[in-house]
Amino acid sequence: MSVRAIARALGRSPSTISRESRRNAPAAPYNCKFAQQRYQRRRRYSRPQPKLAPESTLLGELRRELIACLRMARAKRWPRSRGTDRRGEITDLLSIHVRPPQVNERQFPGHWEGDLIKGAANLSAVGSLVERSSRLLMLVKLPHPQPATAAHVLQAFSDKLLSIAQPCARR
């Protein structure tokens, strides 16, 4: 029987049948048992060897030690539906939707928006303030980005605004 006829009968590509017969047939005609043995041997040796022996009695103890090292000391994750949201909640949160309509219209100066831009691996931080009507942009490099708390950002912006206001007050 030809390779194309076998491929048609099995619903496979002729190249697949040809490759399979070349790979698994020794000098003699194709033998399905021999091909299966060769497949299993290739499959067994293609996988990486396990780092721990599955029959080892230490596996359970090792698992307990590893789980104990996790932050919550739990083997599985908690489902999201369980309890309340566990992420940190912002106290005294004021939604952006609550702001006055004049801010959206950008008719009056004095409405500022702030943002914090953190660098790679949180090793640097820059604060930005934008005045909404004039689109004036003020950038402040934060000297101590590691904690980068709201208090640090507020202090950096206050220092920047005071340094701008001082030359104006001297006139």
Side-chain angles (χ1 to χ4, degrees), residues 6 26 36 66 70-71 91 94 96 106 115 117 127-128 146-147 150 161-162 166 168 170:
I6 295 171
Q36 182 68 22
L66 291 175
L70 294 175
R71 181 170 57 97
T91 57
L94 183 61
I96 196 167
R106 296 183 177 154
D115 202 359
I117 304 164
S128 68
Q146 264 315 340
L161 289 171
L162 286 175
Q166 285 174 354
C168 296
R170 290 183 201 158

Side-chain angles (χ1 to χ4, degrees), residues 13-25:
S13 169
S15 63
T16 302
I17 303 299
S18 173
R19 183 178 60 242
E20 183 70 15
S21 63
R22 270 186 280 118
R23 179 188 292 162
N24 292 314

Side-chain angles (χ1 to χ4, degrees), residues 40-155:
Q40 288 173 341
R41 184 166 186 246
R42 278 194 312 271
R43 179 79 175 180
R44 184 172 50 243
Y45 290 116
S46 68
R47 293 183 176 191
Q49 294 300 316
K51 303 222 184 298
L52 295 172
E55 64 275 352
S56 172
T57 58
L58 299 176
L59 275 175
E61 181 61 31
L62 177 64
R63 178 178 165 83
R64 279 191 289 278
E65 287 180 28
L66 291 175
I67 289 172
C69 292
L70 294 175
R71 181 170 57 97
M72 302 290 283
R74 289 181 49 86
K76 294 184 179 178
R77 293 179 180 219
W78 285 348
R80 283 195 181 273
S81 60
R82 183 176 175 189
T84 59
D85 191 6
R86 293 178 304 279
R87 294 175 288 189
E89 294 182 9
I90 301 173
T91 57
D92 302 328
L93 176 69
L94 183 61
S95 174
I96 196 167
H97 302 292
V98 180
R99 64 185 179 188
Q102 301 91 350
V103 175
N104 286 335
E105 295 167 4
R106 296 183 177 154
Q107 293 178 349
F108 305 104
H111 297 286
W112 295 81
E113 283 188 4
D115 202 359
L116 182 65
I117 304 164
K118 294 198 121 193
N122 292 332
L123 295 178
S124 62
V126 174
S128 68
L129 272 180
V130 178
E131 202 283 321
R132 289 183 54 85
S133 64
S134 67
R135 307 275 173 105
L136 173 69
L137 171 67
M138 214 184 325
L139 296 175
V140 176
K141 182 178 187 290
L142 296 173
H144 304 290
Q146 264 315 340
T149 62
H152 289 113
V153 176
L154 177 64
Q155 185 62 47

Side-chain angles (χ1 to χ4, degrees), residues 22-35:
R22 270 186 280 118
R23 179 188 292 162
N24 292 314
Y30 185 83
N31 181 345
C32 64
K33 289 182 182 178
F34 180 76

